[in-house]
């Protein structure tokens, strides 16, 4: 069983959903982001999403855009991101790691070589925001050969007929984009989520994580109990950005404050437990 | 007047160059496509259906021809440039006068088609990106004409260097949003327009200004712009009794070039030359020549030639012309380059400035800096061609908007 499947299964047995925090690789520098990465599981991360910085993140809001730019300025490359995952794996063989980013750097690296190298580094799944299933043939076979899950996004705009098509190309878990918009801008209401998740459940057996607009411990707890997991990205990156000095460098506050926020999110998610279906 | 869009899939021969893209929006099986986030996918598919339906509807054509004739002012003349021909001392130079269209460029051809489509689809709010501001002005114009809400994203750098167009757009009732991300040029404006669209899908239509973006935009914009080539063909037939030998057009995203090339694709005797903005020079590192100095990759919804670094991060483009300052190019051009049906070359900032002045003095026509790149290359090759060679330059826009930029480069303070 893959790390992703094993983790969701174990959490389901505990009766709760997953907290999936996000970090942007090399933000604000390689060492700080690696240290944060390594400290995340102890702070309560059940799975971790690592952002691969891209120059033109057209589905992201200002917070992730700024994080990606900081990462690139600090020298992030895909080789460097994979190396970070390999370093992380030396101390953690259980926490699933998902890389999230845009397709061009991966195409530039080469799909087959990337999937091989990512799996070797210890990556479990990939989310390529701008690679819909219609264009996904380039990565489907190499990912499967390497044992990587291709995690598909589903949006409120995805009609039922299309849901089936998209989920036919999904593995690992389903990432529900809970709002119509870019990352870190709006939040979905509990009412919207309660309506949306059963529609997806009906179309797949995969676990469902909710992302885009999950910011507070309350929202995370709610999302993780309505679905199977909550992704928190912009809220954490915003905290990280606040701790940087005027030159954009990490300070003594950077790690403690981000980790404290993750602990708060984890506590809420664990306390909420999973509502019976 | 030639029907501007009915030829989309009507080419008779099976070996036609005019049967691209395929149903997935791929040109030559490789370029183009639909690389967008899932939130936008259903909209792209809906747009494709709506466009196919409009294309098959005679009422849509009739409406489009009405606005093309009575509002845009088509057909635009094909002008024999006598003094330019004498000065170059070779090929006979004709100028396709797209700068005479309402709003001063070829942009309105596409914008009119898409706004009629947006209306058919029941959309009430239009978002668009703009570089030089020509597409923004054209979009703001039709939004004024139809009383629709209009938001134009424009790089902050471009807002600064294209002030007259910014003022025009605001006069026309558009909201112009300066984009400070990145270098503040066209690529950043495109990102921001896509972000707006994804957040406002219910009422908003994204009106892309060039032959790029996710399918069906590249094919749709080409179809709306093909009126340029259809007219050129008929006008040259009337003037010279035959097809032109060479067609030259400037390329940023490549919509004016695709518009004049497309009707000639199957006339293989016609040389098609796309002139990219070489900026400070093709090998200067400050260029916008995506085909000549880029490699295939994925950006803004399509796979095409891109200026990018070894890690697949997109480079900033450079050109004196804001309209060509883009690190990508329409996917059909990438395909035409690979199969050798069109040639792609470069003209530098300096060459464009010289051509700008030359055209103004010899023909009494102030060309847009974008179009000046095409004139610059025509000036280069015309002397090497025989006097019976017929060479058409697509004069895609007028240069009034550029006089401040040109004055600055010539050391004149206005």
């Amino acid at each position: 069983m893959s790390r992703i499947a094993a983790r969701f299964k174990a959490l389901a047995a505990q009766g709760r959903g997953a907290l999936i925090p996000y970090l942007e690789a090399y933000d604000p520098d390689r060492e700080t982001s690696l240290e944060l990465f390594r400290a995340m599981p102890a702070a309560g991360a059940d799975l971790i999403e690592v952002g691969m910085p891209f120059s033109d993140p057209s589905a992201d809001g200002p917070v992730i855009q700024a994080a990606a730019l900081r990462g690139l300025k600090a020298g992030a490359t895909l080789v460097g991101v994979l190396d970070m995952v390999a370093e992380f794996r030396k101390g953690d063989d259980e926490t699933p790691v998902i890389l999230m980013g845009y397709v061009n750097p991966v195409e530039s690296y080469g799909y087959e070589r990337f999937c091989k190298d990512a799996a070797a580094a210890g990556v479990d799944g990939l989310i390529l925001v701008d690679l819909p299933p219609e264009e996904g043939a380039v990565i489907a076979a190499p990912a499967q050969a390497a044992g990587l899950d291709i995690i598909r996004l589903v949006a409120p705009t995805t009609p039922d007929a299309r849901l089936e098509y998209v989920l036919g190309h999904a593995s690992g878990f389903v990432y529900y984009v809970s709002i119509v918009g870019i990352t870190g801008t709006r939040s979905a209401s509990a009412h919207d989520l309660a309506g949306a998740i059963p529609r997806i459940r009906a179309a797949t057996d995969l676990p469902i994580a909710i992302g885009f607009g999950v910011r507070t411990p309350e929202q995370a707890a709610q999302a993780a109990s309505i679905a199977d997991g909550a992704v928190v990205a912009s809220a954490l990156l915003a905290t990280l950005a606040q701790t940087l000095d005027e030159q954009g460098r990490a300070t003594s506050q950077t790690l403690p404050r981000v980790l404290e926020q993750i602990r708060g999110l984890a506590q809420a998610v664990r306390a909420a437990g999973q509502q019976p279906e | 007047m030639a029907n501007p869009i009915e030829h989309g899939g009507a080419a008779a021969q099976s070996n036609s160059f005019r049967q691209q893209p395929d149903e997935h929006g791929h040109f030559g099986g490789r370029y183009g496509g639909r690389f967008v986030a899932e939130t936008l996918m259903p909209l792209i598919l809906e747009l494709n259906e709506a466009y196919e339906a409009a294309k098959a509807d005679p009422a849509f054509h009739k409406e489009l021809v009405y606005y093309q004739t009575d509002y845009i002012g088509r057909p635009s003349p094909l002008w024999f440039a006598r003094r330019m021909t004498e000065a170059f001392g070779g090929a006979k130079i004709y100028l396709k006068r797209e700068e005479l269209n309402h709003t001063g460029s070829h942009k309105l051809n596409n914008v009119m088609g898409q706004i009629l489509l947006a209306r058919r689809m029941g959309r009430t709010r239009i978002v668009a990106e703009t570089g030089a501001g020509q597409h923004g002005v054209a979009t703001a114009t039709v939004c004024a004409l139809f009383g629709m809400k209009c938001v134009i994203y424009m790089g902050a750098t471009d807002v600064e260097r294209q002030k007259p167009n910014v003022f025009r757009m605001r006069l026309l009732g558009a909201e112009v949003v300066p984009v400070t991300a990145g270098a503040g040029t066209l690529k950043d404006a495109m990102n921001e327009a896509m972000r707006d669209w994804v957040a406002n899908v219910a009422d908003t239509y994204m009106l892309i200004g060039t032959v790029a973006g996710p399918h069906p935009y590249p094919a749709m914009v080409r179809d709306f712009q093909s009126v340029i080539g259809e007219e050129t063909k008929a006008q040259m037939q009337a003037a010279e009794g035959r097809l032109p030998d060479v067609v030259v057009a400037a390329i940023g995203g490549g919509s004016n070039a695709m518009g004049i090339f497309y009707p000639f694709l199957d006339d293989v005797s016609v040389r098609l030359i796309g002139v990219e903005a070489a900026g400070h020079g093709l090998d200067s590192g400050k260029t916008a020549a995506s085909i000549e100095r880029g490699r295939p990759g994925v950006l803004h919804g399509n796979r095409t030639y891109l200026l990018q670094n070894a890690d697949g991060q997109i480079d900033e483009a450079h050109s004196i012309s804001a309209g060509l300052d883009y690190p990508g190019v329409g996917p059909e051009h990438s395909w035409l380059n690979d199969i050798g049906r069109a040639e792609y070359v470069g003209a530098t900032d300096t060459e464009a400035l010289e051509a700008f002045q030359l055209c103004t003095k010899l023909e009494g026509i102030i060309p847009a800096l974008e179009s000046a790149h095409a004139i610059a290359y025509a000036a280069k090759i015309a002397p090497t061609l025989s006097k019976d060679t017929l060479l058409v330059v697509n004069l895609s826009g007028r240069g009034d908007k550029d006089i401040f930029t040109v004055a600055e480069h010539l050391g004149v303070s206005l």
Side-chain angles (χ1 to χ4, degrees):
Chain A
M1 191 185 289
S2 73
R3 287 190 196 96
I4 294 175
R7 179 56 51 104
F8 275 109
K9 198 177 166 201
L11 294 179
Q14 291 172 34
R16 70 171 179 92
L19 174 67
I20 313 175
Y22 176 103
L23 73 97
E24 190 78 20
Y26 283 67
D27 173 23
D29 60 76
R30 182 181 185 277
E31 284 317 305
T32 306
S33 66
L34 180 57
E35 223 177 309
L36 177 61
F37 192 1
R38 282 173 160 155
M40 274 183 169
D46 297 307
L47 295 83
I48 300 172
E49 259 184 46
V50 177
M52 303 182 279
F54 181 51
S55 53
D56 294 79
S58 58
D60 284 301
V63 174
I64 295 186
Q65 288 175 46
L69 281 182
R70 287 194 299 268
L72 288 174
K73 215 173 143 198
T77 60
L78 285 196
V79 173
V81 174
L82 294 184
D83 187 62
M84 271 181 63
V85 178
E87 286 289 315
F88 172 85
R89 276 281 170 251
K90 285 179 185 169
D92 186 321
D93 196 36
E94 288 180 355
T95 308
V97 173
I98 294 109
L99 296 184
M100 182 161 185
Y102 292 77
V103 74
N104 194 54
V106 175
E107 176 155 318
S108 179
Y109 194 106
Y111 291 104
E112 206 172 320
R113 191 164 73 92
F114 182 77
C115 288
K116 241 182 239 174
D117 292 355
V123 172
D124 301 291
L126 298 176
I127 304 176
L128 295 173
V129 178
D130 55 347
L131 190 73
E134 281 82 352
E135 301 287 349
V138 286
I139 203 157
Q144 197 175 16
L148 291 177
D149 284 324
I150 295 293
I151 290 136
R152 287 280 162 211
L153 302 181
V154 166
T157 50
T158 310
D160 288 342
R162 181 173 169 76
L163 206 52
E164 204 171 314
Y165 170 71
V166 172
L167 295 176
H169 292 77
S171 53
F173 64 93
V174 178
Y175 189 125
Y176 180 63
V177 175
S178 65
I179 51 147
V180 176
I182 52 177
T183 52
T185 49
R186 310 168 181 167
S187 298
S189 68
H191 178 260
D192 289 344
L193 293 178
I197 300 304
R199 187 170 79 95
I200 304 168
R201 286 245 192 263
T204 183
D205 294 331
L206 292 171
I208 302 164
I210 296 174
F212 282 47
V214 181
R215 314 184 62 81
T216 65
E218 295 68 34
Q219 288 168 338
Q222 194 175 72
S225 53
I226 293 173
D228 306 300
V231 180
V232 183
S234 294
L236 294 172
L237 297 178
T239 300
L240 182 144
Q242 280 166 16
T243 67
L244 303 178
D245 71 12
E246 280 168 12
Q247 279 81 46
R249 290 173 304 203
T251 63
S252 61
Q253 285 301 300
T254 303
L255 288 176
R257 286 203 36 208
V258 178
L259 290 169
E260 181 195 310
Q261 194 175 356
I262 294 173
R263 278 189 288 271
L265 292 161
Q267 217 164 25
V269 167
R270 282 159 206 237
Q274 194 173 28
Q275 287 171 359
E277 283 173 47
Chain B
M1 190 187 313
N3 187 325
I5 60 173
E6 77 177 359
H7 47 68
Q13 316 102 291
S14 60
N15 59 345
S16 168
F17 293 111
R18 306 206 308 164
Q19 290 180 329
Q20 303 286 333
D22 64 19
E23 60 178 315
H24 307 292
H26 293 152
F27 293 89
R30 176 168 197 204
Y31 296 108
R34 290 182 280 225
F35 295 88
V36 295
E38 178 57 30
T39 314
L40 287 180
M41 260 325 278
L43 281 98
I44 299 281
L45 296 172
E46 182 198 356
L47 174 63
N48 192 47
E49 269 175 38
Y51 177 55
E52 290 300 323
K55 211 157 72 166
D57 180 357
F60 182 73
H61 291 272
K62 200 176 160 203
E63 193 181 18
L64 182 56
V65 167
Y66 165 71
Y67 286 106
Q68 283 178 335
T69 311
D70 287 3
Y71 192 73
I72 302 180
R74 301 209 70 90
S76 71
L78 182 69
W79 169 248
F80 169 53
R82 188 179 52 81
R83 294 194 67 212
M84 210 183 254
T85 301
E86 283 165 11
F88 295 165
K92 211 167 168 184
I93 310 290
Y94 280 87
L95 302 176
K96 179 59 176 165
R97 304 282 309 273
E98 288 298 301
E99 99 283 7
L100 290 177
N101 292 332
H102 181 40
T103 77
S105 80
H106 70 293
K107 291 294 184 187
L108 203 53
N109 302 330
N110 162 50
V111 163
M112 189 57 80
Q114 286 198 57
I115 199 87
L116 296 180
L117 184 62
R119 281 161 58 81
R120 274 173 75 103
M121 294 175 74
R123 300 294 194 268
T124 53
R125 179 177 178 271
I126 303 293
V127 294
E129 80 298 340
T130 196
Q134 295 301 85
H135 175 57
V137 167
T139 304
T141 297
V142 294
C143 287
L145 177 66
F146 292 109
M148 291 166 89
K149 195 167 187 305
C150 180
V151 181
I152 304 290
Y153 290 92
M154 188 169 185
T157 307
D158 292 338
V159 167
E160 197 48 43
R161 61 179 166 176
Q162 300 288 345
K163 280 180 192 158
N165 272 346
V166 174
F167 186 59
R168 275 185 198 108
M169 287 185 268
R170 288 183 174 145
L171 279 177
L172 289 160
E175 180 191 347
V176 180
V177 183
V179 178
T180 51
T185 60
L186 182 52
K187 142 178 119 84
D188 312 296
M190 184 82 165
N191 288 333
E192 211 55 37
M194 288 177 78
R195 290 180 187 121
D196 180 311
W197 190 26
V198 88
N200 297 287
V201 293
D203 64 345
T204 298
Y205 180 95
M206 178 155 171
L207 209 161
I208 294 180
T210 192
V211 285
H215 179 64
Y217 285 102
M220 176 170 68
V221 176
R222 171 202 70 197
D223 291 346
F224 289 137
Q225 290 293 2
S226 290
V227 66
I228 305 172
E230 298 287 358
E231 285 177 8
T232 303
K233 215 172 191 178
Q235 289 164 328
M236 190 59 97
Q237 204 60 250
E240 298 277 357
R242 66 183 183 90
L243 293 172
D245 301 297
V246 186
V247 174
V248 183
I251 305 231
S255 72
N256 89 78
M258 217 48 246
I260 197 166
F261 287 180
Y262 188 71
F264 291 108
L265 286 183
D266 288 336
D267 302 304
V268 291
S269 68
V270 182
R271 254 179 95 184
L272 305 172
I273 304 177
V275 186
E276 297 192 293
H280 291 188
L282 284 176
D283 296 310
S284 65
K286 289 187 83 96
T287 181
S290 324
I291 291 183
E292 291 156 284
R293 288 298 175 270
R295 61 190 170 89
V298 176
L299 180 71
H300 295 153
N302 58 176
R303 181 180 288 117
T304 192
Y305 278 87
L306 300 172
L307 295 173
Q308 54 180 318
N309 72 13
D311 293 307
Q313 305 293 340
I314 309 304
D315 286 334
E316 297 294 344
H318 168 84
S319 170
I320 188 173
S321 145
L324 305 182
D325 205 344
Y326 182 67
V329 63
E332 194 162 8
H333 287 297
S334 294
W335 173 66
L336 291 172
N337 173 72
D338 285 9
I339 62 169
R341 178 60 192 97
E343 305 160 47
Y344 294 88
V345 298
T348 64
D349 290 352
T350 310
E351 289 166 338
L353 274 169
E354 281 165 12
F356 178 95
Q357 296 169 81
L358 189 84
C359 182
T360 304
K361 283 186 180 142
L362 290 179
E363 297 296 333
I365 298 169
I366 303 178
L369 273 173
E370 290 78 20
S371 322
H373 286 74
I375 298 166
Y377 194 75
K380 206 179 271 184
I381 59 165
T384 71
L385 301 169
S386 69
K387 288 189 194 268
D388 60 356
T389 304
L390 302 178
L391 187 156
V392 179
V393 176
N394 195 10
L395 198 71
S396 55
R398 67 171 182 235
D400 307 53
K401 69 184 173 60
D402 293 315
I403 55 169
F404 298 99
T405 306
V406 172
E408 194 187 316
H409 281 269
L410 299 179
V412 178
S413 110
L414 295 181

